[in-house]
Amino acid sequence: MATFYANCTGGSYPACKNACENKYGTTVTTTNLAGLNSCLTSCNTSCNVSTFCFQLSQSCKSDCDSYMTNCVLILGATGFGQ
């Protein structure tokens, strides 16, 4: 979970996106294009429930396929990370 919160600023995609916009601005310019794009791409990956479940599954010892599926279904249904 520490990895998720370290990489998904604010613990959700909207919070992460907001942090990017605060840092690089909300309007894309030639000056901020690379930084804003990189930041938002990181949010898309880091705040994704599948990424979070995959990180959790790394410590799984048994029935890991079921664990990953259940994690995505349960957390996805609750809106986790969104």
Side-chain angles (χ1 to χ4, degrees), residues 1-80:
M1 287 193 69
T3 302
F4 175 82
Y5 284 110
N7 295 325
C8 180
T9 304
S12 69
Y13 177 77
C16 190
K17 179 179 178 280
N18 194 32
C20 291
E21 290 174 345
N22 285 340
K23 184 173 184 178
Y24 296 102
T26 56
T27 304
V28 176
T29 66
T30 54
T31 306
N32 71 359
L33 175 63
L36 183 59
N37 187 48
S38 176
C39 190
L40 292 173
T41 298
S42 178
C43 289
N44 282 331
T45 302
S46 300
C47 299
N48 185 302
V49 69
S50 295
T51 301
F52 178 72
C53 289
F54 177 75
Q55 290 168 348
L56 286 179
S57 73
Q58 297 304 295
S59 62
C60 181
K61 303 293 184 222
S62 65
D63 195 20
C64 296
D65 289 337
S66 176
Y67 179 87
M68 179 71 173
T69 300
N70 289 335
C71 181
V72 170
L73 289 175
I74 293 167
L75 292 179
T78 65
F80 180 84

